[in-house]
């Protein structure tokens, strides 16, 4: 593994500070757990649950508190926004063309970034989760293939509360959600868990990507549980714009 580290450009370091301030305006951010000091500058894969369009802002703010500047794997639509897209590219984030033949290029770009000493933030679910209880869904295998290809450590990062700021269908309903958050200032909790034990799984073994994906989602679920102790089955805050889809419910593997 390359021992050099990617240097985040000034525009991204400034944006991290800005997003930490934005989260502080709209909510009360509580960050717990830690990332070992020798991993904070990479190479590292952060695997986070996805419950709201506000998640990337929350994750950026949480990472900033630990001195981490992650490169985010983000949907291609953001890169097509004038000026914002150019800023995303300059900041080193990685474009994901979902539903196209170019989607695999994102994993190649991410692998190159991790090998170059970057911290990559990825959502294993591949979308905002639609599990009825808002628990992590069955993951896509991209995060596992990335970790196995780079032999990089994977740290699960669970967050809870971002769904109380922006609704699922934002920008529709965004102003109402922001106004409510400014008034109520909900608590958003983020916890950095222990690195996932990938065991003796090797990249070329049959079913390796699925087994590692399940381990990562298991660890993410375990990391999330203490953040919502009084909401074990259903979230207290209900977003009427968010559909429910139980087809990708994650079944925790036996210990």
């Amino acid at each position: 593994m390359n021992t050099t580290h990617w240097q985040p450009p000034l525009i991204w370091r400034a944006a991290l500070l800005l997003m930490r301030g934005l989260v502080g305006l709209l909510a009360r951010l509580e960050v717990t757990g830690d990332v070992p000091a020798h991993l904070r500058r990479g190479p590292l894969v952060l695997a986070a649950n996805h419950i709201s369009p506000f998640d990337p802002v929350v994750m950026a703010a949480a990472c900033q508190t630990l001195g981490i500047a992650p490169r985010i794997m983000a949907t291609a639509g953001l890169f097509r926004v004038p000026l914002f897209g150019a800023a995303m590219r300059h900041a080193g984030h990685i474009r994901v063309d979902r539903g196209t033949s170019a989607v695999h290029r994102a994993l190649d770009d991410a692998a190159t970034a991790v090998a170059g000493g970057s911290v990559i933030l990825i959502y294993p679910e591949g979308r905002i989760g639609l599990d009825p209880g808002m628990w992590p869904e069955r993951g896509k295998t991209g995060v596992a293939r990335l970790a196995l290809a780079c032999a990089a450590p994977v740290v699960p990062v669970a967050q809870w509360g971002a769904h109380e700021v922006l609704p699922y269908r934002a920008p529709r309903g965004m102003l109402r959600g922001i106004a409510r958050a400014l008034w109520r200032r909900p608590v958003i909790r983020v916890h950095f868990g222990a690195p996932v034990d990938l065991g003796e799984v090797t990249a070329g073994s049959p079913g390796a990507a699925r087994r590692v994906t399940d381990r990562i989602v298991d660890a993410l679920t375990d990391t999330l549980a203490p953040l919502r102790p009084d909401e074990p089955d259903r979230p207290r805050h209900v977003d009427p714009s968010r559909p429910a889809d139980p087809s990708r419910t994650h079944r925790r593997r036996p210990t």
Side-chain angles (χ1 to χ4, degrees), residues 13 25 58 68 70 80 100 128 133-134 140 169 174 199 207 238:
R13 297 199 302 271
L25 178 67
V58 168
I68 299 172
R80 292 192 287 267
T100 73
I128 295 176
M134 293 185 69
K140 301 288 188 178
R169 297 200 184 278
M174 182 173 68
V238 177

Side-chain angles (χ1 to χ4, degrees), residues 9 12 65 95 101-102 106-107 167 177 205 220 224 228 234 244 253:
W12 182 224
T65 65
R95 173 175 173 154
S101 58
L107 278 180
S205 60
L220 191 51
L224 174 61
R228 46 178 295 185
R234 292 290 190 270
R253 59 189 179 86

Side-chain angles (χ1 to χ4, degrees), residues 61-105:
C63 286
Q64 201 277 335
T65 65
L66 296 186
I68 299 172
R71 298 169 69 174
I72 301 173
M73 297 187 72
T75 182
L78 294 176
F79 290 83
R80 292 192 287 267
V81 178
L83 297 180
F84 183 79
M88 290 279 289
R89 286 188 290 273
H90 182 71
H93 301 307
I94 297 170
R95 173 175 173 154
V96 182
D97 292 277
R98 294 193 181 100
T100 73
S101 58
V103 69
H104 298 292
R105 188 183 310 151

Side-chain angles (χ1 to χ4, degrees), residues 6 30 35 48 66 71 132 137 153 166 205 208 245:
W6 177 73
E30 297 178 358
V35 173
L66 296 186
R71 298 169 69 174
E137 292 182 324
L166 287 187
S205 60
D245 177 10

Side-chain angles (χ1 to χ4, degrees), residues 17-27 54 57:
L17 285 169
L18 179 64
M19 284 187 273
R20 185 176 178 184
L22 177 61
V23 173
L25 178 67
L26 297 174
F54 198 51
V57 179

Side-chain angles (χ1 to χ4, degrees), residues 183-222:
W183 176 256
R184 296 183 59 248
R185 297 194 69 244
V187 176
I188 295 179
R189 299 180 177 92
V190 179
H191 184 75
F192 291 81
V196 180
D197 179 9
L198 301 184
E200 302 301 319
V201 181
T202 57
S205 60
R210 173 45 56 191
R211 291 199 303 276
V212 169
T213 300
D214 289 344
R215 289 186 189 183
I216 291 170
V217 177
D218 284 349
L220 191 51
T221 301
D222 291 344

Side-chain angles (χ1 to χ4, degrees), residues 99-179:
T100 73
S101 58
V103 69
H104 298 292
R105 188 183 310 151
L107 278 180
D108 293 338
D109 292 342
T112 299
V114 172
S118 293
V119 177
I120 295 294
L121 171 63
I122 185 171
Y123 296 104
E125 296 160 278
R127 67 175 184 179
I128 295 176
L130 299 180
D131 177 79
M134 293 185 69
W135 289 97
E137 292 182 324
R138 184 173 71 251
K140 301 288 188 178
T141 59
V143 62
R145 287 184 281 136
L146 174 61
L148 290 170
C150 303
V154 179
V155 168
V157 189
Q159 59 94 15
W160 187 248
H163 59 297
E164 297 190 42
V165 177
L166 287 187
Y168 173 82
R169 297 200 184 278
R172 187 185 306 171
M174 182 173 68
L175 293 180
R176 186 183 304 110
I178 289 175

